[in-house]
Amino acid sequence: MESQNWIGGNWYTPSAGEMTVYNPSETSEIVGTVHLSSNEDMMEAGVAAKAALQQWATRTPGERAAFLDKAASLLEQNLEEIAHVASSEMGKPISEMKGEVMRGVNLLKYYAAEGVRAHGSVIPASQSSVLQYTKRVPLGVAGLITPWNFPVAIPIWKIAPALICGNTIIWKPAEIASLSATYVAKIFAQAGLPDGVLNLVIGEGHTVGNTLVEQVDVDVISFTGSTKTGMHVASIAAQRNIKYQTEMGGKNAAVVLADADLKLATSAILSGAFRSAGQKCTATSRVIVEESIYNPLIDELRRQLADVYTGSALDPKSYLGPVASKAQYEKVQSFINLAHTEAQIVAEGALQLDPSSGYYVAPSIVEGVPTSHALVQEEIFGPLITLLKATDFEEAVSLCNQTVYGLSASVFTNDIQKGFRFLDEAEAGMVRINLESAGVEYQAPFGGMKRSSSHSREQGQAALDFYSQLKTCAVYYG
Ligand code: NAD
């Protein structure tokens, strides 16, 4: 497969460079070629998005919704093929990838329906015969920058609300998710979206991504990716006084209290930590355990880890596949090496294939490092969890909060009071009882606190607030 740009309704192959895509499950296999854009391509997308804005913004929400509905049906019809492309490109197991595409379908349907929902409010005026009310209006051109780890769902959870609110879009996907991005954009083209309403520009972050943020005439930027890049994007958007949203990294904890159901906690911890090979912003990467059940929990983790199957992304049996790329492999492997030299290995999953055939990392559980250690503080984005002991609930919550991140946190307990106290006291945007740290649904707000987010939210109703602005209207009819 070849990536392509879609700008102003034209599909073409940009020529500023190219990248061969190797299948992370089988690195001798070539999946396709990504063609990189120049800054001129990006500037052209800005012109196309601006030119399409007025017509799109003045359509009724019901008319805009019809395109989203059509895209939802087409995406569902193409579910198998797009999941196959994405799994081959970035290594997410096919069973999870199909679930992700279905989430995209649901997001499109949800935001299509939101187009005709009542919104705004009527506010009493101090003068008689005056009707005062608010209405939502579009922001203008939206610049969307997306990561590779959810190549379908994250783009759609930005594109769908941005479109239904009447904005036009320039989308810059992650380099190593560009084949999937081309496929997703083709779905919108087939749905008949008017020219220039959605523009796809494939390219590198430090070139065209930067141009989008610094130079293109955009009115809003929504970014998902690492905290380092996100803070850079936020600082430029703030200088330009452009509305922005940055959803960034995490170092999510699962807290297991003495009275927890250990089987349930263990299965949620392994799923949160190891599905997608730990490459979710909401992945569990610290497990904080009350001392009295520390050893029984380790026994249960070892028991359940023995059944975890690591295999090719296209194997439907795979619980986790490879990590997404060579760069990811090297980064995760450096943390595994650190664990081997500075921590104790509690358990390691088996690899059911030749590890050198792809970017495979065996899932690992480690212990024996202080809270200040890199394994406890840095986002690894790979299948590695670090165990920490807590003497009681208070210490467990304190450990949970000892991080610069604040995306997601879970507690496992049957004590309703401690459970609710945890929801109050954990410093994270998504807090959960007896559920894994990942898996927040599309109709609920998604986002973090502290260095995980710029504090707005995606998904659900929150995305409609982000992709629109309020006008306060007053009419004298006396
Ligand atoms: P990344 O920051 O390297 O890249 C993200 C996107 O930004 C890519 O499209 C990239 O090309 C682009 N980019 C890079 N440099 C840029 C620049 N100077 N200007 C503009 N754009 C630039 O992140 P990644 O490796 O693709 O994704 C993994 C990260 O994403 C992890 O940290 C993970 O936690 C985070 N993430 C967060 C959420 C969330 O909702 N909080 C969800 C998924 C992933």
Side-chain angles (χ1 to χ4, degrees), residues 145-146 148 172 175 205 209 223-226 229 248-249 281 379 446:
I145 301 177
T146 53
W148 48 263
K172 208 304 280 171
E175 295 82 329
F223 166 91
T224 300
S226 63
T229 314
M248 305 178 281
C281 52
E379 185 183 46
F446 186 105

Side-chain angles (χ1 to χ4, degrees), residues 145-150 154 157 172-176 203-213 223-230 232-233 236 246-250 279-282 328 331 379 381 405 407 430 446-448 452-453 458:
I145 301 177
T146 53
W148 48 263
N149 66 331
F150 282 86
I154 289 182
W157 85 42
K172 208 304 280 171
E175 295 82 329
I176 61 166
E204 292 172 305
H206 66 94
T207 55
V208 293
N210 229 20
T211 304
L212 175 58
V213 179
F223 166 91
T224 300
S226 63
T227 295
K228 185 166 173 267
T229 314
H232 166 74
V233 167
I236 294 170
T246 49
E247 289 303 330
M248 305 178 281
Q279 301 168 112
K280 292 182 188 172
C281 52
T282 47
Q328 261 300 101
K331 181 181 155 216
E379 185 183 46
F381 228 51
Y405 297 109
L407 196 54
M430 295 169 285
F446 186 105
S452 289
S453 165
E458 303 205 83

